[in-house]
Amino acid sequence: MKKFDFCDGLVAPLDRANVDTDAIIPKQFLKSIKRSGFGQNLFDEWRYLDHGEPGMDAARRKPNPDFILNLPRYRGAQILLARANFGCGSSREHAPWALQDYGFQVIIAPSFADIFFNNCFKIGLLPIALDANNVDQLFREVEASEGYRLMVNLQGQSVTTPAGQSFLFDIDPFRKHSLLNGLDEIGLTLQQADKIKAFEEKRRAAQPWLFA
Amino acid sequence: MQTLYDKLWQSHVVHEESDKPDGMTLLYIDRHLVHEVTSPQAFEGLKLAGRKPWRLDSILAVADHNVPTTRRDHGISDPTSRLQVETLDQNCEELGITEFRMNDLRQGIVHVIGPEQGATLPGMTVVCGDSHTSTHGAFACLAFGIGTSEVEHVLATQCLLMKKAKTMQVVVEGELGHGLTAKDIALAIIGEIGTAGGTGYAIEFAGSAIRELSMEGRMTLCNMAIEAGARAGMVAADNTTIEYLRGRPFAPKGDLWEKAVAYWRTLKSDEGASFDKTISLEAAQVKPQVTWGTSPEMVTTIDGSVPDPSQITDIVKRHDMERALKYMGLAPNTPISEIRPDKIFIGSCTNARIEDLRAAADVVKGRHVAANIKLAMVVPGSGLVKYQAEQEGLDKIFRDAGFEWREPGCSMCLAMNDDRLESGERCASTSNRNFEGRQGPGGRTHLVSPAMAAAAAVAGHFVDIREIY
């Protein structure tokens, strides 16, 4: 997993609620058996005017000039500011892969869908839930000022505005530790192999039909 | 006193990372269902790390998302789809994983075949790289969707690192009206609590109306728990659960069956167990549901109308509604019964089981698809559902009425194969998501029950199923 500790990044605002994983990465791109290369199809149906299919050359496609990520002022954004219930819908990890591959390191929203939220941590993309009023304020500020950046400090669990105002966010200590150190969770779990085996033996004795 | 969720959780705890109740817990996984879309990167990761699956007999694999629903003997024409299915076949063969291949009679949608085979059993933890894994909770399981990194984690360790969810009880008491189904209950609940209403919760569905539901109905309900934001939905085990499982290929036999049943009977919330949240619904009040927008919470009843954004004070909500109506090509205040679909899709892990097909066939029997319907199709949830339906003559009823009778798979629920809506086309669909582009770029989805989809096919517009029966 990619390590994450700090991000001082340009912010792009995506002002709609319930952004679903079908919108983040449409299904035709899920046919890939690779883990990379999804960034060029992030928000494909909103971002381009033509219909996208796997294998198309992004440079030859027609971008939608009205879509927020296509505005020059948001080019190279690393922090996505979003609305409630971001990432609802399917369990496709291709959604966080696409966001990360595009260049995002942090997503800030008032709330996230459970599976999406969980998937982000597995790849080192940091989802931050802030109070809806604070998110409203950030939307107003980013829209008012070109080049608007935020500083995200995972160690201190803070998001800081250019004016120096800081918002603190919650994160599970285990997830924080894993992100800060870029840990391999499977490796960590395998350190508990003896416990897993012991559990399994007990279970086999009590419910043998589960091991047919 | 424990809730069903507490019991399921506690019986699978291997290790706790912290002594705090909301810390990360290592949870043991009994059943791992695998399909072709979310697994290739997990298998690759496993190989690259030099690891092997922890427990092969816990895994059951099937290709469902990419498979064609016509002319299976011709194979898969799209090369990227074909490669994905072949990759699953290869991985399963190399590692010795049980897989139902495309031409196996037992092939079908992963959430249909698990229960059908008895591979989903009460008391299990069931995972799959698919959000609709919540379906299996109908069997008093803890079942939830996972991402690809977690698929790899389960393959390698038979465990997942999880945070315990809060508990929500949705109580539905009383009797459903004639022609109403679990799908209408599910959509009515989502209309009430919203698509984020269940975020952070595991939902248990309870009450007399739920106990009256068949296993098919309970699966439909738990399937849609994720559309209410809840990763897991569940129903307590009872005689209906046990009778459904008796004699299924993967279910225990003989003495083990008796032993298992005794344990399964304990899989219910204790009397007086407390939930973090409780919601109640009167079954008799539930009317046929039709979605009008691009999120399952954008739903109303058949006697209702498309809402008017100008009446909404919250700006974000108003904009979302305006955007949805524009996408759907609907004017505010249009009566739902005046909406005319172009296509009809009866299928998906929500509504492609035998009971769903029977309900739809009941409506179309002796009638014909209306002239304005360009395509009406039935995609059974599995080869065995298809076979059963054919034994009952349902295929003939559908064909005579002008429906196409297809091979099993996910099909036009998410349009990863060739079945899709063209831009601007409107569909009455028994699936679970009406997101923008879900059934094809520019396609417009209205979620309904199988009987409501069948009625719309015959009438050429949405109609109240209660007037047809």
Side-chain angles (χ1 to χ4, degrees):
Chain A
M1 179 176 77
K2 221 170 166 175
K3 227 179 192 176
F4 183 99
D5 50 4
F6 185 84
C7 172
D8 172 2
L10 185 71
V11 183
L14 185 64
D15 195 3
R16 48 168 99 186
N18 300 314
V19 170
D20 60 74
T21 53
D22 277 85
I24 297 172
I25 183 83
K27 87 281 290 177
Q28 61 269 35
F29 305 106
L30 272 49
K31 294 178 187 179
S32 167
I33 55 169
K34 299 202 184 91
R35 210 178 183 117
S36 56
F38 295 100
Q40 62 176 1
N41 302 111
L42 175 70
F43 299 121
D44 200 275
E45 283 180 27
W46 296 342
R47 197 164 137 204
Y48 301 99
L49 293 171
D50 56 347
H51 171 63
E53 283 293 333
M56 284 169 82
D57 179 2
R60 304 176 67 158
R61 296 187 56 193
K62 275 187 255 161
N64 173 3
D66 297 331
F67 183 59
I68 203 84
L69 295 184
N70 289 334
L71 303 186
R73 63 184 280 190
Y74 298 123
R75 196 137 303 158
Q78 289 164 303
I79 299 174
L80 185 68
L81 186 63
R83 293 290 185 184
N85 200 26
F86 187 83
C88 60
S90 89
S91 68
R92 60 187 73 164
E93 198 166 302
H94 310 66
W97 291 341
L99 287 158
Q100 190 176 59
D101 192 53
Y102 179 87
F104 288 117
Q105 295 183 32
V106 178
I107 320 288
I108 300 173
S111 59
F112 294 89
D114 285 341
I115 305 180
F116 175 84
F117 187 73
N118 194 53
N119 282 343
C120 287
F121 287 105
K122 305 294 175 190
I123 65 165
L125 177 67
L126 178 62
I128 296 176
L130 290 183
D131 183 82
N133 291 324
N134 296 337
V135 172
D136 271 343
Q137 179 192 328
L138 294 179
F139 265 99
R140 282 195 302 273
E141 291 182 8
V142 67
E143 277 154 15
S145 133
E146 194 163 338
Y148 186 87
R149 301 175 79 84
L150 286 170
M151 281 202 287
V152 175
N153 179 338
L154 178 56
Q155 190 63 53
Q157 296 179 215
S158 64
V159 175
T160 306
T161 70
Q165 188 181 5
S166 281
F167 304 108
L168 296 181
F169 62 88
D170 282 333
I171 181 169
D172 176 84
F174 179 83
R175 281 174 167 158
K176 179 176 172 180
H177 177 73
S178 297
L179 272 180
L180 284 170
N181 297 289
L183 295 180
D184 164 22
E185 281 193 4
I186 294 178
L188 279 182
T189 298
L190 286 174
Q191 289 175 13
Q192 308 291 339
D194 289 344
K195 277 193 175 175
I196 303 171
K197 282 180 193 149
F199 178 92
E200 207 162 47
E201 283 320 304
K202 254 178 32 201
R203 195 156 181 75
R204 192 188 295 271
Q207 298 183 38
W209 61 86
L210 295 175
F211 294 82
Chain B
M1 279 175 296
Q2 288 184 303
T3 65
L4 171 58
Y5 176 74
D6 293 332
K7 290 182 187 181
L8 292 170
W9 178 272
Q10 203 179 51
S11 62
H12 290 87
V13 173
V14 173
H15 169 74
E16 293 186 278
E17 288 290 340
S18 95
D19 45 11
K20 293 195 189 110
D22 65 343
M24 296 299 270
T25 298
L26 197 60
L27 212 64
Y28 187 80
I29 304 302
D30 295 308
R31 177 66 69 203
H32 189 184
L33 302 166
V34 171
H35 67 80
E36 80 277 22
V37 181
T38 54
S39 65
Q41 299 87 349
F43 282 119
E44 191 192 17
L46 197 72
K47 269 182 234 169
L48 286 174
R51 292 169 178 144
K52 290 255 177 262
W54 181 280
R55 211 188 114 200
L56 284 173
D57 69 353
S58 70
I59 313 171
L60 179 60
V62 71
D64 54 6
H65 286 60
N66 280 278
V67 299
T69 58
T70 53
R71 298 306 307 263
R72 283 276 163 89
D73 49 332
H74 288 204
I76 304 173
S77 57
D78 176 358
T80 43
S81 284
R82 191 170 60 234
L83 177 63
Q84 198 163 52
V85 173
E86 285 171 356
T87 303
L88 178 68
D89 293 349
Q90 229 168 50
N91 281 320
C92 289
E93 194 166 305
E94 259 176 53
L95 296 167
I97 292 169
T98 305
E99 184 199 5
F100 297 159
R101 295 227 177 164
M102 197 167 81
N103 290 316
D104 191 313
L105 182 65
R106 300 167 298 175
Q107 182 270 344
I109 306 172
V110 66
H111 308 308
V112 174
I113 70 161
E116 184 175 80
Q117 291 294 321
T120 300
L121 295 172
M124 278 182 163
T125 39
V126 180
V127 298
C128 175
D130 191 286
S131 60
H132 290 109
T133 308
S134 61
T135 310
H136 307 262
F139 291 83
C141 296
L142 178 52
F144 49 89
I146 56 179
T148 298
S149 292
E150 289 182 314
V151 170
E152 186 181 336
H153 200 127
V154 179
L155 284 172
T157 71
Q158 209 59 37
C159 290
L160 275 178
L161 277 161
M162 303 280 297
K163 247 174 128 80
K164 200 172 177 189
K166 291 177 285 181
T167 54
M168 183 190 293
Q169 187 186 33
V170 175
V171 185
V172 190
E173 295 286 358
E175 215 171 308
L176 270 180
H178 195 57
L180 284 134
T181 67
K183 182 65 163 285
D184 300 296
I185 299 179
L187 287 169
I189 293 167
I190 295 163
E192 185 78 24
I193 69 174
T195 49
T199 302
Y201 290 92
I203 298 180
E204 180 179 346
F205 299 99
S208 57
I210 307 301
R211 286 195 298 275
E212 280 304 306
L213 289 176
S214 64
M215 287 317 295
E216 284 85 352
R218 294 178 190 182
M219 284 189 256
T220 299
L221 196 56
C222 291
N223 174 279
M224 297 286 284
I226 185 66
E227 303 329 319
R231 214 171 165 182
M234 64 197 75
V235 176
D238 61 8
N239 285 336
T240 306
T241 323
I242 291 160
E243 286 316 310
Y244 178 96
L245 289 169
R246 192 187 292 275
R248 303 254 165 202
F250 285 62
K253 311 269 181 317
D255 287 352
L256 276 186
W257 169 260
E258 297 305 327
K259 207 174 164 200
V261 166
Y263 171 63
W264 294 346
R265 291 199 185 278
T266 68
L267 296 173
K268 55 186 177 187
S269 290
D270 296 329
E271 193 85 34
S274 78
F275 291 81
D276 295 306
K277 198 171 182 177
T278 298
I279 284 164
S280 301
L281 201 71
E282 278 297 323
Q285 303 296 318
V286 176
K287 293 178 181 178
Q289 307 281 311
V290 183
T291 64
W292 49 264
T294 53
S295 160
E297 71 184 24
M298 294 175 166
V299 63
T300 186
T301 53
I302 182 66
D303 52 3
S305 301
V306 174
D308 186 345
S310 70
Q311 306 295 310
I312 307 291
T313 46
D314 182 305
I315 290 185
V316 174
K317 272 205 179 120
R318 190 197 310 151
H319 284 170
D320 281 344
M321 191 181 274
E322 284 166 352
R323 196 152 31 207
L325 292 187
K326 186 168 176 238
Y327 181 86
M328 293 297 290
L330 290 171
N333 305 312
T334 306
I336 296 297
S337 59
E338 286 179 13
I339 299 173
R340 301 171 76 80
D342 304 298
K343 287 184 175 168
I344 309 291
F345 173 61
I346 296 175
S348 87
C349 59
T350 312
N351 280 130
R353 298 181 182 82
I354 189 69
E355 181 183 282
D356 301 315
L357 304 194
R358 285 178 191 145
D362 246 12
V363 174
V364 304
K365 192 170 188 172
R367 298 187 171 103
H368 202 275
V369 168
N372 61 304
I373 305 292
K374 292 189 234 171
L375 171 73
M377 63 197 275
V378 182
V379 183
S382 70
L384 288 168
V385 168
K386 182 172 182 253
Y387 177 79
Q388 171 72 26
E390 287 169 355
Q391 295 301 304
E392 297 177 17
L394 305 186
D395 58 323
K396 187 163 182 338
I397 293 174
F398 284 117
R399 283 196 170 113
D400 287 350
F403 276 82
E404 290 191 13
W405 180 250
R406 299 286 188 91
E407 300 294 333
C410 300
S411 179
M412 210 163 71
C413 171
L414 87 167
M416 270 189 83
N417 68 354
D418 292 336
D419 308 332
R420 66 188 64 171
L421 298 179
E422 298 303 322
S423 187
E425 277 182 345
R426 193 179 290 291
C427 183
S429 177
T430 66
S431 54
N432 40 57
R433 289 186 178 138
N434 50 350
F435 298 156
E436 285 184 25
R438 172 81 179 178
Q439 294 193 288
R444 296 160 170 167
T445 304
H446 296 273
L447 303 176
V448 287
S449 73
M452 284 289 286
V458 167
H461 57 90
F462 288 111
V463 284
D464 193 331
I465 185 67
R466 295 169 298 181
E467 289 163 14
I468 290 222
Y469 268 122

